[in-house]
Amino acid sequence: MIARIGAAVTGARLWDELATDWLLLDAEIMPWSGKAQDLLRRQYRPAGIAAQASAQALIAAIADAGDPEDLRALRARAGIQSDNAQAMAHTLEGYCWQAGSIDAWQIAPFHLLAVEGRLLTTQPHHWHMDLLARLCGKEPILRETGWQVIDPASAADREAVTGWWERHTAEGGEGLVIKPDAFVVHDGKGLLQPAMKVRGRDYLRLVYGPDYDLPENLTRLRERALGRKSALAAREFRLGLEGLERFVARRSLRKVHACAFGVLALESEPVDPRL
C-alpha cells in the first residue's frame, strides 16, 4: 500500500514540487472491518443486536398478552426501537466489506500535514484539497474527498450545502466537515475550533445509540454542557500541532511521543472530545 501511494506521488510529480522524500498525510482509511474488528465486535455490533433483541422481546410479550389497548402505545414505541436498531445495523454494514486485497481498500486523504523540513499548516484548505486531488488521480485506492467553498452569510449557499448534506447522508454518507479556509484561526481571544463534523442522522446512531433521536433523548443531548468537550478538543489540536513541529524539527522521539501520550491522556477523560 505504501509503495503504491509512493508511486502515485511520483506520478503527480510531488516529490520535486515539495522538495521532500516523505509526506505525512491525514486520511480516512476504509473499510472499518479491515482496521477495527475489535471495536466492531465489542461495541457497535453488540449494541445493535441487543437493541433489536430487546425491542423484539417486548413486541412478543405484548402479543402474548393479547395486545391490550393500554399497551398499544408501548408496542408502537417498541416497533420504532426495532426499526432504529435495524437502521443502525444497516449503517454500520455500509462501512464494512471484505478487504482481502489492497484493491478493496479506500484511502481518502484530506490534509498534507508535513514534508521534509516544514509543516504545511500555513497553507489554506483549498490548497490541500487541490494538491491531494492530483495525488488521488494517480492511484485507484486513493479516493478524492469532495469539497466546496461557501459563504456562510449567503442564504443560497447555506440552502445548497444543507440540501447536499441531506442527499449525501440519505445515500449512506457519513456527513460533512465545515472548516475555515485557514488551517489555524484565532479570534483575538484564542484558538477557534478548527473544524466541525456534521454527521448524518443514521450515522449518529453509531455514536449515541440506535434510539438517540427519540424526543426525550434529543432533549437530553441538546441540554449537554459542551464547554469541557470543546476545551479538550482544542488541547488535543494544540498537542497535535506541537508534536508535528517537533517531528519536523527532528527532535528526539521521546519529545515527539510526549505529545502523543498527552493526546492519549486527554482521550482517557470521561468526556470524549471527539464526539
Side-chain angles (χ1 to χ4, degrees), residues 17-190:
E17 180 178 328
L18 298 170
T20 188
D21 58 2
W22 59 269
L23 307 175
L24 180 59
L25 297 170
D26 197 355
E28 172 75 8
I29 302 176
M30 299 289 288
W32 288 0
S33 48
K35 64 178 184 178
Q37 284 286 358
D38 189 57
L39 186 63
L40 292 170
R41 183 173 59 253
R42 297 179 59 182
Q43 179 172 325
Y44 289 131
R45 286 196 174 114
I49 292 170
Q52 178 71 6
S54 175
Q56 289 299 319
L58 182 55
I59 292 170
I62 293 171
D64 288 344
D67 195 20
E69 184 174 351
D70 59 350
L71 291 180
R72 287 179 183 172
L74 183 60
R75 184 185 65 177
R77 181 184 176 90
I80 292 172
Q81 291 176 315
S82 177
D83 292 343
N84 289 344
Q86 292 181 45
M88 177 180 175
H90 178 74
T91 299
L92 179 60
E93 293 312 314
Y95 294 93
C96 301
W97 60 83
Q98 292 296 320
S101 69
I102 291 177
D103 291 308
W105 288 76
Q106 294 182 358
I107 302 174
F110 49 86
H111 283 146
L112 176 55
L113 294 171
V115 294
E116 179 62 40
R118 59 192 172 111
L119 296 184
L120 296 172
T121 53
T122 57
Q123 295 288 355
H125 281 297
H126 70 265
W127 179 91
H128 287 265
M129 303 311 293
D130 285 337
L131 184 143
L132 292 173
R134 291 166 49 196
L135 177 63
C136 292
K138 300 297 181 180
E139 170 53 57
I141 64 172
L142 295 176
R143 186 177 70 184
E144 183 178 351
T145 299
W147 65 283
Q148 58 183 293
V149 176
I150 67 165
D151 176 3
S154 165
D157 281 7
R158 295 197 304 270
E159 183 178 351
V161 76
T162 300
W164 180 89
W165 175 86
E166 290 175 339
R167 293 189 299 274
H168 176 65
T169 56
E171 294 169 356
E174 180 177 343
L176 59 81
V177 178
I178 298 174
K179 304 174 181 177
D181 195 32
F183 202 97
V184 180
V185 181
H186 294 82
D187 66 351
K189 297 179 181 179

Side-chain angles (χ1 to χ4, degrees), residues 205-223:
R205 299 187 197 284
L206 304 179
V207 179
Y208 296 119
D211 298 322
Y212 85 94
D213 57 350
L214 293 177
E216 64 271 24
N217 291 334
L218 283 178
T219 298
R220 177 175 53 82
L221 287 169
R222 287 170 177 152
E223 291 176 348

